[in-house]
Amino acid sequence: MSATIRNLDDLLAEGVSGRRVLVRADLNVPLDKQTGEITDDGRIRAVLPTLSALVRAGAKVVVCSHLGRPKGAPDPQFSLRPVAGRLGELLGAPVHFAEDTVGDSARSTVEGLADGQVALLENLRFNKGETSKDDAERGAFADQLAALGDAYVDDAFGAVHRKHASVHDVPARLPHFAGRLVLREVEVLSRLTGSPERPYVVVLGGSKVSDKLAVIEALLPTVDRLLIGGGMCFTFLKAQGHEVGTSLLEKDMVETCGNLMERAPGKIMLPVDVVAADAFAPDAAHDTVPADGIPSHRLGLDIGPETVAGFAAALSQAKTVFWNGPMGVFEMAAFANGTRGVAEAITKADAFSVVGGGDSAAAVRALGLDESSFGHISTGGGASLEYLEGKTLPGIAALEN
């Protein structure tokens, strides 16, 4: 991160008692579709250091965030009200909830805050201006949002790759600072893009090669080993001429995968066995088969034990590890062993390890793994990948201005 970016410590040194501090957080947590309850509060916990510091210093803290993908209008299933309750529990004090983002409820809620109190505004994406590609529309919403604060803190690393009003435009309207989380994320990722200690091993999973192509292109010249699992591995296996049955396959990416392997012979490591099932279902009949022998009527839903052992051997030699994307459909117990095995191998390696947010971070918590055994668990899957690709992140650029 540029040395010109001011951070939370700089703001606290100025003094925040009695000042309204608008904090952009990433509280985009998963909710149970039936009960509406939060199923993973990791992102809420991640912003606590910044919020707690502001509360202790006597700021009037105004938190804003998005949740899900509403269509620019209020939608009850994407309300942040459950998040306000959980945030209050974790902070140990009530969080005042505004029924809108920049309307009458938001203004009155913020006006009613005493020093050291916290308010949470309703979902930013209930307003079209938040995500608009029109600069004027986005700017008009940013004007309204900025009017609720005297200073701005961005602690939403999971959103810094979006050119949205609350991330990109509000910082231009208020004194702006990087929060504890954003500062830590950029410091960690800078270690990976600078001169990482070697061997440097990257583990990539997830569904599609197309989603990870840019980061593969960026990392291939710099990593020592690239281990590929998840649904994306089947496009690579197809490029080797193997039958992949009904497994997830991006036909238009087969040639690209072949070219990548030719460019870096011996560097890309693919599964040697997979768990193949009759159907995409938790109770589907399944067994482990060689990666070059997937039956035509079956689909691969996880990497097999031999692959886990091979990946673990490569990881045991690593000094730096970056992992993004599960190795299989970890949400189903029968197909979670690959992700668990690789994650455990990362924790055992004598290496600085970074988990690249998204489904990988969710898997760590869902599988009950010790979060402290990883060097860093990012809160931004897409943002961390784009950072490693070398892209300019709008939220970070806005803080530098």
Side-chain angles (χ1 to χ4, degrees):
M1 182 177 282
S2 168
T4 61
I5 290 182
R6 294 181 295 171
N7 61 48
L8 185 67
D9 289 336
D10 297 313
L11 174 59
L12 294 173
E14 290 181 6
V16 294
S17 180
R19 296 175 68 189
R20 300 169 304 161
V21 179
L22 181 65
V23 179
R24 176 52 162 104
D26 180 8
L27 306 178
N28 184 28
V29 294
L31 300 175
D32 185 285
K33 291 181 179 179
Q34 304 299 322
T35 65
E37 294 179 356
I38 297 167
T39 57
D40 181 355
D41 65 2
R43 282 178 170 158
I44 303 175
R45 292 177 179 275
V47 77
L48 290 178
T50 289
L51 298 184
S52 297
L54 288 168
V55 167
R56 287 194 299 270
K60 298 176 180 180
V61 186
V62 184
V63 185
C64 61
S65 177
H66 71 285
L67 177 66
R69 295 178 181 270
K71 306 298 184 182
D75 185 336
Q77 69 174 319
F78 295 116
S79 174
L80 280 166
R81 182 175 284 282
V83 175
R86 182 59 180 149
L87 180 58
E89 291 173 1
L90 293 171
L91 286 172
V95 169
H96 302 268
F97 183 66
E99 302 287 345
D100 55 30
T101 307
V102 292
D104 292 341
S105 179
R107 287 190 292 272
S108 63
T109 301
V110 173
E111 287 171 4
L113 287 177
D115 295 358
Q117 290 189 332
V118 179
L120 175 63
L121 307 179
E122 184 55 285
N123 196 332
L124 289 164
R125 292 185 183 174
F126 285 179
N127 304 266
K128 289 183 179 179
E130 167 66 2
T131 59
S132 176
K133 297 191 186 314
D134 181 84
D135 290 348
E137 184 177 21
R138 212 176 53 247
F141 177 60
D143 287 339
Q144 293 177 287
L145 196 55
L148 299 174
D150 301 309
Y152 170 86
V153 173
D154 189 346
D155 216 27
F157 183 74
V160 294
H161 60 314
R162 305 294 188 194
K163 191 177 180 180
H164 291 169
S166 64
V167 174
H168 177 262
D169 301 276
V170 171
R173 290 156 169 80
L174 290 172
H176 44 271
F177 306 83
R180 297 256 195 268
L181 176 62
V182 164
L183 196 65
R184 170 66 176 160
E185 294 271 14
V186 175
E187 287 174 348
V188 165
L189 293 172
S190 294
R191 288 180 62 174
L192 302 185
T193 55
S195 300
E197 191 175 356
R198 297 186 178 280
Y200 178 20
V201 178
V202 171
V203 185
L204 292 180
S207 301
K208 297 180 178 180
V209 178
S210 55
D211 291 343
K212 304 283 171 72
L213 180 60
V215 78
I216 293 174
E217 294 269 9
L219 289 173
L220 207 51
T222 62
V223 302
D224 296 295
R225 300 301 295 272
L226 179 58
L227 318 181
I228 294 181
M232 62 188 290
C233 77
F234 300 105
T235 304
F236 279 91
L237 292 172
K238 188 70 172 179
Q240 290 185 322
H242 301 320
E243 168 68 56
V244 297
T246 59
S247 304
L248 188 62
L249 176 66
E250 290 184 280
K251 292 181 180 178
D252 59 341
M253 296 297 295
V254 172
E255 184 178 349
T256 299
C257 289
N259 292 337
L260 288 169
M261 289 186 285
E262 287 179 7
R263 278 170 45 194
K267 188 175 279 191
I268 295 176
M269 198 169 172
L270 296 175
V272 294
D273 61 344
V274 301
V275 180
D278 286 344
F280 188 88
D283 58 351
H286 60 275
D287 52 42
T288 302
V289 301
D292 59 358
I294 301 172
S296 60
H297 66 287
R298 286 193 154 189
L299 72 163
L301 295 181
D302 196 12
I303 59 173
E306 285 189 39
T307 301
V308 171
F311 283 10
L315 289 163
S316 70
Q317 304 299 313
K319 289 299 180 183
T320 306
V321 176
F322 175 73
W323 168 37
N324 180 279
M327 298 292 98
V329 188
F330 72 91
E331 298 89 345
M332 301 179 187
F335 312 112
N337 292 331
T339 301
R340 181 188 298 279
V342 168
E344 289 177 345
I346 292 172
T347 66
K348 293 173 183 175
D350 182 20
F352 174 65
S353 59
V354 179
V355 181
D359 286 341
S360 313
V364 168
R365 289 187 281 269
L367 297 175
L369 301 172
D370 181 7
E371 295 183 47
S372 66
S373 58
F374 297 91
H376 179 70
I377 299 180
S378 177
T379 56
S384 62
L385 289 180
E386 290 195 17
Y387 190 97
L388 294 184
E389 289 167 27
K391 287 186 176 180
T392 296
L393 306 183
I396 300 300
L399 294 175
E400 291 174 336
N401 292 331

